[in-house]
Amino acid sequence: MKTLIALLAAASVYPATSVAAPPVFLNCQLTVAPDYQAFRSQEQKDAFVLEVLQRGIAGYLLPPSETWMVDFDNKQVIDLENGPKSAIRAADITAAMIIGADGYGNRFTLNRVSGRLKFTRSSGINSFVAQGITVPTTSTWEFQCRASPDRVI
């Protein structure tokens, strides 16, 4: 965790200088997933996924990336697994937090001190019940992240 604090704190100094800030790479591990993803059987899971696919929100079920690049110069957080289209642009970067949203209603909140990341994904439709499971309009995943000066795969 000291590495995370040191890398992110050092990078926050760069915007005040004319030297480009090096990117910081985040490697995160899932700690909390939405509880609606607990299924009683494989049949229930298959039927649930089919219904969600038919509603056109399959991407809503997928957990967010576990690897990110923080680009301090451009105030972006780039999802290294899903590419630049999933980037958090115009992120609000402070000494304590990095907060931003993408163009799909998803929200990224990283506590720069603790390394805790919350990623909230929006389905874009109202809550509904599928196979006896209430699917909320938004879901939140939580991660514990470590920073590195090198790209994480």
Side-chain angles (χ1 to χ4, degrees), residues 128-144:
F128 64 94
V129 176
Q131 300 300 313
I133 298 170
T134 300
V135 181
T137 299
T138 60
S139 293
T140 300
W141 288 263
E142 295 182 24
F143 297 87
Q144 184 62 50

Side-chain angles (χ1 to χ4, degrees), residues 68-116:
W68 302 85
M69 180 181 79
V70 179
D71 178 351
F72 291 96
D73 289 336
N74 295 311
K75 295 186 177 181
Q76 297 184 82
V77 181
I78 299 169
D79 178 338
L80 295 176
E81 294 171 29
N82 296 308
K85 74 176 187 77
S86 300
I88 306 300
R89 304 193 192 287
D92 181 20
I93 300 174
T94 67
M97 303 290 288
I98 298 175
I99 300 171
D102 66 11
Y104 303 102
N106 302 318
R107 189 149 178 81
F108 178 98
T109 306
L110 175 69
N111 181 316
R112 293 177 70 182
V113 177
S114 69
R116 298 287 296 166

Side-chain angles (χ1 to χ4, degrees), residues 1 4 8 25-34 37 59-68 77 79-82 88 97-98 106-121 139-147 152:
M1 177 142 80
L4 174 72
L8 293 175
F25 298 94
L26 301 175
N27 183 18
C28 306
Q29 290 193 301
L30 183 65
T31 57
V32 178
Q37 293 185 332
Y60 179 70
L61 296 178
L62 301 173
S65 178
E66 292 187 346
T67 57
W68 302 85
V77 181
D79 178 338
L80 295 176
E81 294 171 29
N82 296 308
I88 306 300
M97 303 290 288
I98 298 175
N106 302 318
R107 189 149 178 81
F108 178 98
T109 306
L110 175 69
N111 181 316
R112 293 177 70 182
V113 177
S114 69
R116 298 287 296 166
L117 167 63
K118 283 188 177 185
F119 190 90
T120 302
R121 180 170 283 148
S139 293
T140 300
W141 288 263
E142 295 182 24
F143 297 87
Q144 184 62 50
C145 300
R146 292 178 306 139
V152 183

